[in-house]
Amino acid sequence: MNKTASVSETTYNNSALIFRGEIPEGKVGWQSPSNIALVKYWGKKEVQIPCNPSVSFTLNESYTETVVEYRPAHSGKSTVVFYLNGVINEQFGKKIDAYFKSIESVYPFLNQLDFTIHSTNTFPHSAGIASSASGMSALALCLCSIEKKYFGTPSGEHEFFQKASFLARLGSGSAARSLYGGLVSWGKIDGRPETSNLWGTPQTENLHPVFSTFRDSILIVDAKQKKVSSRVGHGLMKTNVYADARFKQAQTNIVELLDVMKNGDLERFINITESEALTLHAMMMTSNPYYLLMKPETLQIIERIFGFRKSTGIPVCFTLDAGPNIHLLYPEKVRADVGSFIQAELKQFTRNATVIEDRVGSGPVKLDL
Ligand code: PMV
């Protein structure tokens, strides 16, 4: 029987991970990337189970570095102090404390420790890059490293990253995909027994080489905090009248996209990717209450991309996250042409001429402390 598919959620509820004695003082750190979804996760069930599978490119330049310092809890009760980019952040500290409590059945040793956590992002907060994906995956990797050090598990590399993905998912769904490089799916895909709703699965086997060269130029239209959080947006799918059709469409799209990404058909790749981006925003517009996250500049840029592609035949397309900023996706070989296009036509619609240059990356790296 397939090992990945046979592991159930309860496997990780492990009372064996109660440390007999005292875990001493120590520290551990990981660098972990953000990702950009091609087929979007939008709508979830308890606990962080997606209503449809998703797939994303792992990014290279947009990542979080997290160092977790731990020591025996001095008051007998665990505490968390959290620094974001060198500044203490009580709001995130509370969120992480709540996250640690929510995974106590997986890691009973967490309540034996005090934590000081230092996290830095290479990209600005709320720039349309998922900081929860990189941040939660980096933190989950640190927890797995603590387990490995004091309990000897998870045993192999596969088990280690799978458990980290499982834990990252419980913090932020899309974070489940940040544990591997290249192309990564999360959620059960029809006809693919190796995939799971509980953790991400790398999809790099037989991937057409053009996709490992893909670039993502992130055009910042508006860097303000979004008006409606993803948590609220996922929740609104429960009453969206188009939800069931959307979940079915995502299954069809992901099966076709994974095929297309093996055979290198860029025309189909562009069609599915752009349709997914617009469908995500269509779901927001057809929720109740309805809302819009795109800005007039977002539409201006999209129109220009359509025009440029039509007149030049250059395979460049867009995707959107839950926000107004454009992720411009294209193969490395057309970089010079797309660079001139951004300068000449797109930059005028960005906020303070901000374009973040990224590309497909190779996944997390353990920090040498
Ligand atoms: O991981 P969350 O709960 O922040 O949801 C993110 C959902 C999207 O970014 C809009 C799409 C995706 O699949 O990443």
Side-chain angles (χ1 to χ4, degrees):
M1 193 159 143
N2 179 304
K3 194 170 175 206
T4 311
S6 71
V7 182
S8 75
E9 183 156 16
T10 53
T11 309
Y12 290 136
N13 288 336
N14 197 342
S15 56
L17 296 182
I18 296 172
F19 202 71
R20 313 276 169 214
E22 211 170 62
I23 293 180
E25 192 173 310
K27 66 175 169 180
V28 61
W30 278 87
Q31 172 187 311
S32 191
S34 186
N35 65 69
I36 179 68
L38 303 170
V39 172
K40 310 289 181 180
Y41 148 58
W42 200 241
K44 64 176 163 183
K45 305 175 230 174
E46 293 299 319
V47 178
Q48 297 277 88
I49 298 297
C51 292
N52 65 259
S54 55
V55 66
S56 56
F57 276 140
T58 296
L59 296 178
N60 192 63
E61 309 296 333
S62 306
Y63 59 80
T64 298
E65 269 186 12
T66 295
V67 175
V68 174
E69 295 168 3
Y70 52 91
R71 67 199 82 79
H74 72 284
S75 66
K77 192 171 150 273
S78 168
T79 58
V80 177
V81 178
F82 182 79
Y83 290 83
L84 181 64
N85 298 327
V87 181
I88 203 156
N89 190 313
E90 283 185 23
Q91 198 195 345
F92 281 176
K94 279 189 189 134
K95 278 191 183 165
I96 289 168
D97 194 33
Y99 168 67
F100 281 0
K101 296 220 160 45
S102 76
I103 57 168
E104 245 173 45
S105 60
V106 184
Y107 279 156
F109 65 83
L110 289 178
N111 67 18
Q112 292 175 260
L113 300 169
D114 281 340
F115 295 95
T116 304
I117 302 171
H118 290 269
S119 228
T120 49
N121 293 333
T122 55
F123 51 90
H125 184 56
S126 298
I129 301 171
S131 59
S132 61
S134 53
M136 288 314 302
S137 54
L139 186 60
L141 284 160
C142 291
L143 297 182
C144 284
S145 286
I146 297 174
E147 177 189 343
K148 182 90 189 162
K149 185 161 180 181
Y150 297 103
F151 301 91
T153 53
S155 50
E157 197 178 304
H158 169 75
E159 288 78 8
F160 184 90
F161 284 97
Q162 183 167 286
K163 184 157 185 180
S165 176
F166 172 90
L167 289 165
R169 176 198 115 238
L170 293 173
S172 160
S174 53
R177 299 185 307 243
S178 276
L179 278 297
Y180 307 95
L183 187 71
V184 186
S185 71
W186 165 48
K188 198 106 206 70
I189 304 175
D190 292 343
R192 300 260 186 158
E194 79 282 11
T195 59
S196 168
N197 283 334
L198 304 181
W199 46 68
T201 306
Q203 294 290 351
T204 35
E205 208 174 289
N206 301 324
L207 190 69
H208 190 281
V210 72
F211 293 110
S212 52
T213 75
F214 252 62
R215 299 193 59 86
D216 179 4
S217 298
I218 308 162
L219 307 168
I220 305 301
V221 165
D222 190 349
K224 282 205 282 294
Q225 190 95 29
K226 54 193 176 217
K227 289 184 297 254
V228 182
S229 70
S230 290
R231 188 178 52 79
V232 171
H234 285 295
L236 289 171
M237 285 301 278
K238 290 201 170 82
T239 51
N240 188 309
V241 294
Y242 300 105
D244 286 341
R246 158 61 194 154
F247 301 146
K248 280 199 197 98
Q249 177 204 34
Q251 274 290 354
T252 313
N253 278 349
I254 201 165
V255 169
E256 188 183 355
L257 188 72
L258 291 176
D259 266 2
V260 158
M261 292 183 79
K262 285 193 169 77
N263 67 33
D265 181 346
L266 285 174
E267 210 172 305
R268 282 303 296 149
F269 171 83
I270 289 170
N271 183 278
I272 297 168
T273 300
E274 291 188 343
S275 167
E276 276 289 321
L278 294 178
T279 301
L280 170 69
H281 286 257
M283 290 301 108
M284 297 169 191
M285 291 185 229
T286 53
S287 288
N288 204 348
Y290 45 81
Y291 61 107
L292 274 171
L293 293 184
M294 289 192 282
K295 299 278 177 205
E297 293 84 353
T298 312
L299 299 182
Q300 302 263 33
I301 293 173
I302 291 175
E303 292 286 7
R304 299 284 174 133
I305 296 167
F306 289 162
F308 177 76
R309 196 165 67 226
K310 195 159 183 210
S311 63
T312 62
I314 289 173
V316 54
C317 67
F318 70 88
T319 189
L320 298 159
D321 219 328
N325 304 314
I326 297 272
H327 289 250
L328 199 61
L329 303 175
Y330 53 92
E332 171 68 37
K333 62 173 189 258
V334 297
R335 185 179 177 182
D337 290 325
V338 174
S340 313
F341 168 52
I342 293 173
Q343 279 299 338
E345 294 197 46
L346 305 185
K347 240 185 185 161
Q348 58 177 318
F349 301 116
T350 61
R351 176 75 36 124
N352 303 328
T354 313
V355 180
I356 298 174
E357 292 295 343
D358 214 326
R359 63 191 163 92
V360 174
S362 51
V365 180
K366 189 161 189 215
L367 299 178
D368 203 4
L369 299 175

